[in-house]
Amino acid sequence: MDKSRPKSVSVTVADVALKAGVSKATAARVLGGYGTVSDRVREAVTAAARLLDYRPNELARSMTTGRSGTIGVVVGDIENPFFSLAVRGISDVARRAGFTVILINSGEDVDLERAAIRTLLAKRVDGLIVSPAKDHDVEHLHEAIRSGLPLVLLDRGSDTLDVDTVIADDRHAAENITRRLIALGHRRIVYLTACDTPDHSFRAVEDINTGSVRRRIEGYLGVCLEASLTGMEKWVHVGAVTPEKTHRIVSEMLQSAQRPTAIIASDSIIALEVFKVHRQLGLSIPEDVSLISFDDADWTSVTTPPVTVVRQPVYDLGAKAAELLVDRLNGKGRTARKIVLETEYVERASMGRAP
């Protein structure tokens, strides 16, 4: 007859110690991963824990070791393929280092981001990886730092936070594609972004609160100025935060008297809506309007025509952010590090000469 312990009864450290023939303190050292024991004792305790199906009490472990074994991650939009892939990179590195990821979506809302940070602090996470909704509204992140919690910024840096940061070379990428469009004769070039302003219009770079988008617009406007194209701020459109709003913005601009000859989409979700509107209006890409998108989403390579993109090292951004955080948790690194990863221009068939 099977006299094993009923599944409803929790197996304790004392049970494992009794089965292994060691003291409770010794079993706790093995199961908690601290202190020194012989290989023979470690194998005996591990075998006993496996046989009894021992599950560690994470709260008790946290109180003993001072760590919860968790990393808190806050991103702007988990439905965006960019953040999904970045989180995969974070999770893979964290798992190999023995950490579990707790993910919270801020919806690009600073108030929700503040609440997320409070929640993660209450859960006693060991460190944070955050993609700030607004890089100048980060007092809640300063508070987390003052509490002693290691923090890494993902994709979006902040001049007011002296912490490890991982970003892509957004400005250089925007400069590159803008030069290519100008070389093809384009002058009415739209940059379309989900970032918004209080009055839903763009006047200056300072209006943009998201670092990665601001760097791209700076690159775009800088190259336009080099080419003696003035007043290009009017071609920067903000507020493409949903497919419905993007559809309205694109429809209006493509049916205006001064129709753009090229559109730079700040992400693949916006680019997809731009592509749909072109079809609905009976316009051709690139004969009527050229299209280029940040993010190499799967769909961009199978459309007719396939879409030219800026391929970002999204997985590597997440993985590198997690590596920096794990280093901090392991006592490595003193000064804040800023890692800039290169993007790749992938030319397909959606860019042509200006009509």
Side-chain angles (χ1 to χ4, degrees):
M1 179 180 293
D2 184 4
K3 297 182 180 181
S4 61
R5 181 181 300 272
K7 294 296 184 182
S8 60
V9 179
S10 297
V11 176
T12 66
V13 173
D15 296 326
V16 175
L18 182 62
K19 184 71 173 178
V22 299
S23 70
K24 181 178 176 181
T26 298
R29 286 198 295 273
V30 174
L31 297 172
Y34 61 91
T36 302
V37 296
S38 68
D39 291 341
R40 181 186 62 78
V41 169
R42 181 178 293 104
E43 289 172 3
V45 173
T46 302
R50 186 165 52 248
L51 183 64
L52 295 175
D53 194 24
Y54 168 77
R55 305 294 174 85
N57 183 321
E58 296 298 343
L59 178 60
R61 173 181 289 183
S62 175
M63 294 175 65
T64 301
T65 66
R67 285 192 176 185
S68 65
T70 59
I71 290 172
V73 177
V74 183
V75 298
D77 182 6
I78 57 175
E79 289 187 327
N80 189 320
F82 176 92
F83 286 118
S84 298
L85 186 54
V87 170
R88 175 62 185 272
I90 293 170
S91 299
D92 286 350
V93 171
R95 184 181 64 254
R96 290 195 294 268
F99 292 92
T100 300
V101 169
I102 300 176
L103 174 64
I104 300 182
N105 182 54
S106 72
E108 303 291 7
D109 184 308
V110 175
D111 289 334
L112 293 179
E113 183 177 295
R114 290 193 191 98
I117 297 301
R118 287 196 298 269
T119 297
L120 292 169
L121 290 175
K123 289 186 176 295
R124 301 177 62 87
V125 296
D126 297 321
L128 290 169
I129 298 175
V130 180
S131 189
K134 294 184 178 180
D135 58 4
H136 294 307
D137 192 349
V138 291
E139 179 55 31
H140 52 295
L141 298 182
H142 281 288
E143 291 177 4
I145 295 169
R146 287 194 289 269
S147 74
L149 203 65
L151 167 68
V152 176
L153 299 184
L154 170 68
D155 184 52
R156 304 166 181 178
S158 174
D159 294 335
T160 68
L161 290 168
D162 186 29
V163 297
D164 293 333
T165 304
V166 185
I167 62 174
D169 61 347
D170 296 291
R171 178 166 186 151
H172 177 266
E175 290 172 344
N176 179 33
I177 59 179
T178 304
R179 287 194 180 98
R180 290 174 183 271
L181 287 168
I182 291 174
L184 290 170
H186 294 278
R187 298 297 180 267
R188 300 194 300 273
I189 305 168
V190 162
Y191 183 90
L192 179 58
T193 177
C195 284
D196 209 349
T197 60
D199 62 356
H200 311 297
S201 63
F202 175 84
R203 295 183 181 85
V205 173
E206 291 73 23
D207 293 342
I208 302 299
N209 286 306
T210 301
S212 56
V213 177
R214 187 170 59 250
R215 291 191 297 272
R216 294 175 191 174
I217 295 176
E218 287 173 344
Y220 160 79
L221 293 174
V223 169
C224 288
L225 193 59
E226 289 176 4
S228 300
L229 300 179
T230 58
M232 295 300 288
E233 289 82 3
K234 68 181 179 182
W235 294 102
V236 178
H237 290 259
V238 300
V241 293
T242 65
E244 293 75 22
K245 290 184 178 180
T246 304
H247 188 282
R248 177 180 55 78
I249 294 169
V250 177
S251 295
E252 289 176 358
M253 71 170 67
L254 290 181
Q255 295 180 89
S256 67
Q258 284 287 298
R259 188 173 74 195
T261 63
I263 297 176
I264 302 171
S266 66
D267 62 52
S268 61
I269 296 176
I270 291 174
L272 180 58
E273 201 60 35
V274 172
F275 200 93
K276 290 178 181 179
V277 174
H278 276 80
R279 289 289 178 84
Q280 292 172 1
L281 296 178
L283 298 174
S284 297
I285 299 175
E287 289 78 11
D288 295 313
V289 184
S290 290
L291 172 64
I292 184 169
S293 174
F294 279 83
D295 298 344
D296 187 18
D298 290 342
W299 69 266
T300 60
S301 63
V302 297
T303 52
T304 303
V307 178
T308 296
V309 300
V310 174
R311 180 182 292 154
Q312 301 186 89
V314 183
Y315 179 92
D316 292 340
L317 285 169
K320 179 55 69 173
E323 288 173 6
L324 293 180
L325 184 58
V326 170
D327 279 352
R328 288 287 177 189
L329 294 172
N330 290 332
K332 299 178 182 178
R334 293 185 177 180
T335 59
R337 295 158 291 182
K338 183 177 182 179
I339 307 297
V340 182
L341 301 182
E342 293 184 0
T343 57
E344 180 185 359
Y345 172 75
V346 182
E347 185 170 358
R348 294 179 180 139
S350 65
M351 281 177 59
R353 298 201 63 82

